[in-house]
Amino acid sequence: MIRLLGCLVCFSAMVQAGSPSTPEQTFWQALAQHCGNAYAGVLAVKRTDRPDILVGDEQLVVHFRQCDDNLLALPFHIGKADGSWDRSRTWRYTWQGSQLELRHDHRLANGEPDLENTLYGGLSIEGNAEVQRFLFAERTAENGDALGWQIEIVPGERYSYGTFSGANWTWRLDFDLRKPLSELPPAPWGF
């Protein structure tokens, strides 16, 4: 009985201290623990259904740049073979009630929002502490499958960002969480 009472006291203290109580909160904290770090990535699954923004020889960097209770902002930097960088994209995770939301902040090189292609995204529809899926409500595949983004975080191993159709990845980037970069990228365009 004393052992049970001790466990209840410990559990109560963990909840009061902000320990995650849902898979979404655990997922959020797994992302947030990398705040301030940047990681190199690779194109792991290339699109086969349409032209891809990546050809496979780019330098890919995700920077866990801004983290607070309501926003995780992760700029995605693409280094091209000619030495130039595309710093137009930032993945923005926020809370909408108890659901996570993923939005894509796209900017032009002058820092202005890319009004034709920004702030699209969706709410989390399913997942667990390591994987969350975000539904792109406006679109479905020709066969009726749901379309959206799948994000995985395998603690101490990798952060993956990509798209899905039905149960399959249609595009995926993997970032190596075992090796933080020693040099952080500059701010994304517009920040």
Side-chain angles (χ1 to χ4, degrees), residues 156-173:
E157 188 177 323
R158 70 176 163 81
Y159 164 76
S160 296
Y161 165 94
T163 55
F164 71 86
S165 177
N168 301 312
W169 287 102
T170 56
W171 189 74
R172 189 177 88 214
L173 306 173

Side-chain angles (χ1 to χ4, degrees), residues 84-169:
S84 67
W85 283 86
D86 179 340
R87 302 187 193 283
S88 64
R89 296 165 171 79
T90 299
W91 301 317
R92 298 172 54 89
Y93 298 93
T94 58
W95 287 102
Q96 297 297 326
S98 62
Q99 279 184 293
L100 290 174
E101 182 175 47
L102 169 64
R103 293 276 168 199
H104 299 76
D105 187 338
H106 285 240
R107 301 290 174 126
L108 303 172
N110 67 4
E112 294 295 316
D114 181 353
L115 296 178
E116 294 180 14
N117 191 29
T118 195
L119 297 181
Y120 60 90
L123 294 171
S124 59
I125 55 168
E126 62 186 4
N128 56 49
E130 291 187 355
V131 179
Q132 290 289 314
R133 287 181 141 210
F134 299 85
L135 183 64
F136 192 6
E138 295 83 22
R139 294 179 50 204
T140 57
E142 289 180 15
N143 66 2
D145 282 346
L147 298 175
W149 300 271
Q150 181 166 309
I151 312 301
E152 291 186 9
I153 183 137
V154 180
E157 188 177 323
R158 70 176 163 81
Y159 164 76
S160 296
Y161 165 94
T163 55
F164 71 86
S165 177
N168 301 312
W169 287 102

